[in-house]
């Protein structure tokens, strides 16, 4: 047995134009037939306007149809071309569910005000029975040109769909699906139990206003009625919230998959986020938005978080894991951009280019070489030797610098870079000091007055990592005293949430100091790379269950799902859960085609591919296993 209803579905009455297909057939036929006609665009627009008025219930359908036919100059060859075109314009959700249409063909009818000549060839290819298609028919002359329509066909008249459904005299429940007012009239007449306004291709407010349900796709309709379907859940019901103006390719990636996306340019504070995150399944942020334990307590449907940046310290990773929420980031996508900014600022500062440029803007010509040096031969000290630090190491060596680094974790050095044993040692030998550490709380003010005092006089100082790792007052004092000859700062303890807020800092106006508004990774290339990378990880997790690349979740890289249903079980990491699950599988005679398990400190992640025959009771037993945090089924 299947988890989905075993009872045959009700009779399903489906509209064709803008429902079964993405377009209006008659409008497209006009566009084909009038190709090369000097008034083609105007005529097609008139036909389209008449179509919309009829669909919205703003004019007599019969009058509109006859006016459209009068404007149409087409023949059989144009219809053949239209059929070929319509085959490429079948609505995605109907294409995905051809199996349902085929298996339930006796229960499904297409009732359309369009024309059989182009509907039957398209609909039957997806499993619709030819004798279950009710539509208008063209009249042709001897040359095959359309000269009119069959006036005796009730679908050419007002209320035609009602007359067809009445004549069918279907016993049992009847559900109507369509985008037009004439589809709603089936419910209004009492011949259909429910009317679903279909909005995958076009949304007509006058139609949705009178609908029992709004079906954003055929998947949505099937899900609402617990019928078998190609997708385990309709993606239109999955809400994605993208904050901080992430790259448009990220938004497109989710929209192309059919998700419901909300896009916000700025960051949100904790109170705002607590309110906005309700009913959100996926959230995408950058570095300014903080996802705290309190925020997660309000996230009643959250399944995944995407950090469109390298760092994840703005997210309570442990709490997210405990709630079964996977977090993904972009650890490499913007490293080159940060490295190039560091190298550029290093050269500008050590050459005193900023000061020279500022003077020249005031008309002062200072050609002196005093205070200007080459980077070649200088010692670059890096605090932190991760993906950015290692890449900067390679570029700096190519410039002729000696590279030293300090990291609390043992790292294999690249090229001729040398690891030092203490931070104090690194500070004392560096001509240029660059910070590349993460934002954990322990790193707060790791560079303060004491550390500046340990540095060489005239050091060049760069912070392109996290704002709170440097005591800004201590840095300002070090610049004023000459201890720091030049500084480049891209991150600050307190940053504006949006471009409209003013920026304030003790570093403003200081000589040979480059201040940038947290743009280390803000290049078109980096943001586009991140915009591709993070959604790809989130979509793999949502669509396939793969958690590979997650920073807080047991990492499992899964094969694509084939001829099975995939059970995803997230549970507290306590002994015996897998044994209990396997007992349930055995008790219910469940055929397992694949099984995977990974755990971390907080949670266990079990993925089981099973045969499609199982009961609702089996699913309920799995959900009730002690320690279960979250359960999903994919197919």
């Amino acid at each position: 047995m299947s988890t989905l209803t075993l009872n045959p579905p009700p009779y399903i009455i489906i509209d064709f134009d803008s429902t079964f297909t993405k377009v209006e057939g008659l409008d497209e036929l006009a566009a084909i037939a009038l190709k090369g006609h000097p008034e083609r665009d105007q005529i097609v627009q008139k036909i389209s306007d008449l179509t919309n008025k009829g669909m919205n219930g703003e004019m007599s359908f019969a009058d509109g149809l006859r006016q459209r036919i009068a404007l149409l100059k087409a023949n059989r060859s144009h219809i053949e071309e239209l059929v070929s075109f319509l085959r490429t314009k079948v609505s995605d959700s109907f294409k995905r569910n051809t199996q349902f249409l085929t298996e339930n063909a006796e229960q499904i009818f297409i009732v359309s005000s369009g024309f059989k000549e182009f509907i039957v060839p398209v609909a039957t290819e997806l499993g619709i029975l030819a004798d279950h298609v009710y539509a208008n028919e063209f009249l042709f002359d001897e040359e095959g040109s359309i000269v009119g329509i069959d006036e005796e066909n009730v679908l050419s008249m007002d209320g035609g769909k009602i007359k067809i459904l009445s004549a069918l005299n279907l016993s049992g429940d009847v559900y109507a699906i369509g985008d037009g007012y004439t589809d709603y009239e089936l419910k209004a007449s009492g011949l259909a139990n429910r009317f679903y306004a279909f909005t995958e291709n076009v949304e007509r407010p006058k139609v949705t206003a009178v609908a029992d349900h709004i079906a954003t796709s055929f998947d949505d309709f099937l899900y609402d009625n617990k019928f078998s379907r190609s997708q385990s859940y309709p993606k239109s019901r999955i809400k994605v919230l993208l904050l901080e103006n992430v790259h448009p390719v990220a938004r497109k990636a989710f929209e192309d998959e059919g998700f419901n996306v909300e896009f916000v340019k700025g960051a949100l504070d904790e109170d705002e986020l607590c309110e906005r995150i309700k009913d959100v399944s996926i959230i995408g942020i950058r570095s300014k938005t903080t996802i705290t334990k309190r925020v997660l307590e309000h996230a009643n449907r959250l399944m995944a978080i995407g950090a469109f940046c390298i760092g994840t310290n703005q997210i309570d990773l442990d709490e997210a894991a405990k709630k079964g929420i996977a977090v993904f980031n972009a650890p490499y996508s913007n490293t080159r951009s940060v490295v190039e900014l560091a190298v550029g600022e290093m050269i500008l500062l050590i050459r005193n280019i900023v000061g020279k440029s500022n003077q020249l803007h005031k008309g002062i010509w200072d050609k002196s070489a005093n205070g200007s040096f080459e980077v070649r031969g200088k010692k670059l000290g890096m605090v932190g030797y991760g993906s950015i630090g290692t890449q900067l190491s390679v570029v700096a060596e190519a410039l002729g610098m000696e590279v030293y680094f300090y990291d609390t974790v043992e790292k294999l050095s690249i090229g001729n870079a040398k690891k030092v044993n203490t931070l104090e040692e690194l500070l004392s030998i560096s001509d240029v000091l660059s910070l590349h550490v993460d934002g954990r709380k322990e790193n707060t003010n790791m560079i303060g007055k004491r550390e500046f005092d340990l540095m060489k006089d005239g050091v060049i100082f760069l912070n392109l990592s996290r704002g709170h790792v440097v005591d800004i007052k201590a840095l300002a004092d070090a610049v004023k005293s000459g201890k720091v000859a030049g500084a480049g700062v891209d991150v600050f303890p307190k940053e504006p949430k949006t471009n409209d807020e003013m920026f304030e800092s003790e570093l403003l106006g200081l000589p040979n100091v480059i201040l940038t508004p947290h743009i280390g990774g803000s290049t078109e290339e980096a943001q586009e790379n991140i915009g591709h990378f993070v959604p790809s990880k989130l979509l793999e997790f949502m669509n396939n269950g793969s958690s590979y690349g997650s920073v807080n979740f047991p990492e499992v890289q899964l094969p694509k799902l084939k001829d099975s249903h995939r059970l995803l079980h997230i549970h507290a990491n306590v002994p015996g859960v897998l044994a209990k699950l396997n007992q349930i599988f055995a008790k219910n005679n469940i055929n397992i085609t694949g099984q995977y398990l990974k755990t971390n400190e907080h949670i266990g992640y079990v993925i089981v591919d099973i045969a499609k025959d199982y009961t609702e009771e089996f699913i309920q037993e799995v959900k009730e296993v002690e320690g279960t945090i979250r359960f999903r089924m994919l197919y």
Side-chain angles (χ1 to χ4, degrees):
M1 290 184 293
S2 166
T3 57
L4 306 170
T5 182
L6 290 173
N7 297 323
Y11 290 102
I12 302 171
I13 312 301
I14 304 172
D15 184 33
F16 185 78
D17 296 305
S18 294
T19 297
F20 199 87
T21 60
K22 301 176 183 179
V23 294
E24 292 287 329
L26 208 58
D27 296 4
E28 298 299 332
L29 180 59
I32 292 169
L34 295 169
K35 195 177 297 180
H37 192 286
E39 297 182 15
R40 175 192 186 224
D41 292 345
Q42 296 93 314
I43 296 173
V44 170
Q45 187 59 54
K46 285 181 183 178
I47 292 174
S48 179
D49 290 343
L50 289 166
T51 299
N52 286 326
K53 286 181 179 179
M55 291 298 99
N56 288 325
E58 296 172 6
M59 68 177 297
S60 160
F61 168 77
D63 290 345
L65 177 62
R66 281 154 184 77
Q67 290 181 47
R68 285 186 285 162
I69 294 298
L71 291 166
L72 186 67
K73 306 294 180 184
N75 57 46
R76 290 188 186 276
S77 66
H78 296 136
I79 294 174
E80 290 174 7
E81 190 175 343
L82 173 64
V83 168
S84 297
F85 174 73
L86 291 178
R87 286 185 174 121
T88 69
K89 293 296 179 181
V90 174
S91 297
D92 294 337
S93 62
F94 280 99
K95 284 194 291 186
R96 283 195 295 269
N97 290 286
T98 302
Q99 184 175 348
F100 176 87
L101 297 174
T102 302
E103 291 177 351
N104 298 281
E106 291 293 340
Q107 304 293 118
I108 299 172
F109 296 82
I110 285 184
V111 179
S112 171
S113 303
F115 289 80
K116 276 190 177 182
E117 286 82 0
F118 59 75
I119 294 176
V120 170
V122 175
T124 52
E125 290 184 357
L126 272 77
I128 304 295
L129 301 176
D131 61 356
H132 279 213
V133 174
Y134 292 86
N136 280 296
E137 294 179 77
F138 290 118
L139 296 179
F140 301 91
D141 63 16
E142 293 180 356
E143 284 74 38
S145 295
I146 296 172
V147 293
I149 60 175
D150 180 1
E151 298 285 351
E152 294 183 5
N153 189 322
V154 295
L155 286 166
S156 70
M157 310 171 190
D158 289 333
K161 290 188 176 183
I162 294 173
K163 294 170 184 174
I164 288 290
L165 201 53
S166 179
L168 285 172
N169 193 28
L170 302 173
S171 59
D173 288 338
V174 177
Y175 296 168
I177 307 172
D179 65 287
Y181 201 82
T182 55
D183 304 303
Y184 157 69
E185 288 175 341
L186 296 177
K187 164 68 187 300
S189 69
L191 293 169
N193 303 78
R194 299 183 194 174
F195 167 59
Y196 287 81
F198 190 82
T199 62
E200 182 173 337
N201 304 308
V202 61
E203 185 169 346
R204 306 181 196 278
K206 290 187 177 180
V207 178
T208 57
V210 295
D212 295 299
H213 304 273
I214 295 174
T216 57
S217 65
F218 193 48
D219 303 295
D220 204 0
F221 167 80
L222 297 174
Y223 180 84
D224 189 67
N225 290 287
K226 297 184 178 180
F227 298 148
S228 62
R229 55 195 178 274
S230 65
Q231 292 185 340
S232 47
Y233 59 93
K235 293 178 182 177
S236 57
R237 296 193 179 197
I238 301 297
K239 186 174 181 180
V240 179
L241 177 61
L242 299 178
L243 305 179
E244 301 186 65
N245 204 29
V246 300
H247 197 280
V249 297
R251 181 177 186 173
K252 185 176 186 299
F254 290 112
E255 289 178 339
D256 286 350
E257 284 277 331
F259 290 102
N260 176 13
V261 182
E262 182 181 359
F263 186 82
V264 179
K265 284 191 173 182
L268 299 177
D269 62 26
E270 188 179 50
D271 288 339
E272 292 173 313
L273 197 52
C274 285
E275 184 60 33
R276 295 286 283 274
I277 206 167
K278 293 174 183 176
D279 298 323
V280 168
S281 297
I282 303 171
I283 186 168
I285 64 170
R286 293 173 73 182
S287 56
K288 292 180 184 176
T289 301
T290 301
I291 298 183
T292 62
K293 180 179 180 180
R294 178 171 167 246
V295 170
L296 292 171
E297 286 170 352
H298 287 76
N300 55 314
R301 297 186 64 180
L302 194 63
M303 289 188 275
I305 300 171
F308 285 70
C309 51
I310 296 174
T312 55
N313 295 91
Q314 70 276 37
I315 303 166
D316 189 330
L317 297 178
D318 287 346
E319 189 63 26
K322 291 173 184 175
K323 291 182 176 295
I325 300 166
V327 179
F328 299 87
N329 68 335
Y332 311 111
S333 299
N334 67 355
T335 53
R336 180 68 186 191
S337 298
V338 178
V339 168
E340 288 189 5
L341 182 61
V343 171
E345 291 193 351
M346 185 191 311
I347 294 172
L348 291 173
L349 292 167
I350 208 165
R351 287 288 301 273
N352 196 24
I353 297 297
V354 178
K356 299 287 187 184
S357 176
N358 289 341
Q359 283 184 308
L360 201 55
H361 275 287
K362 296 175 182 178
I364 301 170
W365 184 270
D366 178 10
K367 203 171 182 297
S368 168
N370 292 337
S372 296
F373 304 95
E374 294 180 353
V375 295
R376 182 177 56 174
K378 302 299 183 294
K379 293 182 174 67
L380 169 63
M382 293 185 298
V383 184
Y385 199 63
S387 56
I388 293 175
T390 52
Q391 194 170 146
L392 178 58
S393 171
V394 173
V395 177
E397 268 198 51
L399 291 171
M401 302 184 78
E402 295 180 34
V403 179
Y404 298 84
F405 68 91
Y406 169 73
D407 201 301
T408 55
V409 178
E410 190 62 37
K411 297 287 182 69
L412 179 66
S413 61
I414 295 177
N416 296 313
K418 300 178 181 66
K419 185 178 188 297
V420 300
N421 294 320
T422 65
L423 175 61
E424 289 75 14
E425 182 184 355
L426 186 74
L427 299 177
S428 67
I429 65 174
S430 301
D431 299 305
V432 179
L433 189 78
S434 188
L435 305 185
H436 301 287
V437 298
D438 61 33
R440 69 188 69 182
K441 290 180 181 179
E442 295 83 357
N443 288 336
T444 300
N445 288 341
M446 70 179 299
I447 303 295
K449 183 180 185 304
R450 171 183 171 274
E451 287 71 28
F452 284 115
D453 288 344
L454 292 172
M455 295 179 197
K456 283 184 176 182
D457 291 340
V459 68
I460 299 298
F461 179 81
L462 301 176
N463 182 20
L464 281 70
S465 59
R466 296 291 186 274
H468 66 266
V469 303
V470 176
D471 182 334
I472 294 297
K473 184 180 185 306
L475 173 57
D477 290 342
V479 171
K480 292 172 186 176
S481 70
K483 166 63 78 168
V484 172
V489 183
D490 185 51
V491 288
F492 306 88
K494 184 179 180 182
E495 297 179 357
K497 290 181 182 178
T498 68
N499 293 340
D500 297 326
E501 292 184 34
M502 287 293 293
F503 169 69
E504 297 177 354
S505 174
E506 294 174 81
L507 299 174
L508 293 174
L510 295 184
N512 207 28
V513 173
I514 299 175
L515 303 179
T516 49
H518 204 147
I519 57 169
S522 295
T523 61
E524 283 292 331
E525 294 90 345
Q527 292 307 305
E528 185 170 353
N529 287 340
I530 293 171
H532 286 295
F533 183 84
V534 177
S536 72
K537 291 297 180 184
L538 292 166
L539 290 171
E540 281 182 8
F541 180 68
M542 296 298 293
N543 295 337
N544 189 43
S546 290
S547 57
Y548 185 74
S550 174
V551 296
N552 74 325
F553 221 69
E555 288 190 87
V556 185
Q557 193 163 16
L558 298 170
K560 287 187 176 180
L561 189 59
K562 290 183 180 179
D563 299 322
S564 300
H565 287 185
R566 177 164 288 170
L567 181 155
L568 308 176
H569 189 273
I570 303 165
H571 57 269
N573 187 7
V574 294
V577 174
L578 185 59
K580 292 175 183 176
L581 288 172
N582 284 330
Q583 287 172 6
I584 294 171
F585 296 144
K587 171 187 169 185
N588 288 273
N589 295 316
I590 301 299
N591 183 31
I592 296 175
T593 58
Q595 189 174 60
Y596 316 85
L597 167 66
K598 274 290 186 75
T599 61
N600 66 14
E601 180 185 357
H602 298 296
I603 61 173
Y605 187 29
V606 174
I607 304 97
V608 186
D609 292 348
I610 63 176
K612 298 176 183 178
D613 294 333
Y614 49 86
T615 64
E616 287 280 6
E617 290 74 22
F618 160 71
I619 293 298
Q620 195 59 38
E621 282 188 67
V622 171
K623 290 179 179 179
E624 291 174 356
V625 169
E626 187 177 356
T628 299
I629 296 171
R630 190 184 296 273
F631 169 85
R632 283 200 294 151
M633 183 69 82
L634 297 179
Y635 46 86

